[in-house]
Amino acid sequence: MAPRVTLPPLPGLLVFQPLKGRYCAECRRGPLPLLILEDGAPRCLDCADLGHLVFLPSGDTALTRRSREESTLSAVVVRFNRRKSRYERQGVLVEEEALARAERRCLADAEARRRRRVRDARRRAAHDTLFAQAFAAEIRRLFPGCPADRARAVALHASERGSGRVGRSAAGRALSEGAVTAAVVASVRHLDTPYDRLLMSGVPRHEARRRIAAAVATVLRGWTEAGLGSAG
């Protein structure tokens, strides 16, 4: 099986996956799923003293690298791609115990990554809770008549991570008056006016907003003019 093209530079021994039936020049067994070339003649892995190795397909870079690190003897497996006229790497042959050790190392890393993800999720959740509290406090500052439960609900809705809502915008994260007011207006529009029913009945969005604008303004005015002591 003489190479028809120059092989890519690969470290260590090369083992081939033949495209057609090849037989061992020494023991005559075949057809061979894998072979090594010695002096241009194919040899099976047993005759080449590689029969004790196990095949690890390409795909997991970390596992491949660690398997080769753990294995005293290893080989790169390649196959010729006729369409591309080149040899392509298919995987590696490594010692079975080396592969087992490498798998344990990768599992340990996976567990470490899982724990890091859990810590990161907890940290994000704590940050989100504090931010929602600050957002709700700003709502109550701007609209002292807004009930506390309502302010918390608006803040949680507006600041939900990944929602793309106003609380996640740069202005929202900065607790700008415009962003906080926009979140409150949106809540009033949907919960305190017939806006949603108008949309469901086919009224265009801009027309629906025009029709309920006075109702929204009335609610906001009431929340703004209310004394801090009257907030529920």
Side-chain angles (χ1 to χ4, degrees):
M1 183 180 174
R4 286 165 281 186
V5 294
T6 302
L7 286 165
L10 294 168
L13 298 171
L14 275 184
V15 169
F16 298 88
Q17 284 185 348
L19 299 180
K20 58 183 180 180
R22 301 298 299 272
Y23 293 78
C24 178
E26 188 168 331
C27 69
R28 304 300 180 185
R29 284 187 299 173
L32 302 174
L34 297 172
L35 61 87
I36 191 169
L37 292 176
E38 290 184 344
D39 298 324
R43 297 286 195 283
C44 69
L45 297 188
D46 286 334
C47 289
D49 295 327
L50 301 178
H52 64 296
L53 302 181
V54 295
F55 178 60
L56 173 62
S58 297
D60 190 326
T61 303
L63 182 58
T64 296
R65 173 175 53 80
R66 287 174 170 173
S67 295
R68 299 196 71 188
E69 290 172 354
E70 295 282 352
S71 191
T72 304
L73 182 64
S74 65
V76 176
V77 179
V78 297
R79 182 172 61 202
F80 189 72
N81 186 319
R82 288 196 179 103
R83 185 173 61 84
K84 297 180 180 179
S85 296
R86 70 185 185 196
Y87 281 96
E88 295 179 335
R89 185 169 178 155
Q90 303 300 306
V92 294
L93 293 173
V94 293
E95 295 163 343
E96 190 168 5
E97 278 301 311
L99 176 57
R101 288 192 296 269
E103 287 173 335
R104 287 194 292 270
R105 289 172 61 187
C106 288
L107 285 174
D109 277 358
E111 175 62 17
R113 288 193 297 272
R114 186 193 67 79
R115 291 178 180 176
R116 184 166 58 248
R117 287 195 298 270
V118 170
R119 290 195 302 270
D120 290 345
R122 287 174 179 168
R123 185 163 51 248
R124 287 193 298 270
H127 178 271
D128 290 349
T129 298
L130 292 175
F131 177 66
Q133 290 172 353
F135 203 98
E138 186 63 10
I139 291 174
R140 297 268 287 164
R141 187 187 73 81
L142 294 173
F143 303 96
C146 177
D149 289 347
R150 180 69 173 274
R152 284 193 293 269
V154 172
L156 287 171
H157 182 77
S159 62
E160 183 180 354
R161 185 177 292 270
S163 66
R165 299 184 185 119
V166 66
R168 303 308 304 182
S169 66
R173 291 194 298 271
L175 297 178
S176 75
E177 182 174 338
V180 174
T181 299
V184 174
V185 168
S187 175
V188 171
R189 184 185 295 133
H190 290 289
L191 298 181
D192 301 291
T193 76
Y195 178 69
D196 290 352
R197 291 196 299 275
L198 291 173
L199 294 181
M200 289 298 292
S201 67
V203 176
R205 180 171 59 89
H206 293 296
E207 173 60 19
R209 287 195 176 194
R210 186 191 66 78
R211 293 186 189 181
I212 55 91
V216 171
T218 297
V219 174
L220 295 183
R221 186 166 55 251
W223 286 353
T224 303
E225 293 174 354
L228 289 172
S230 65

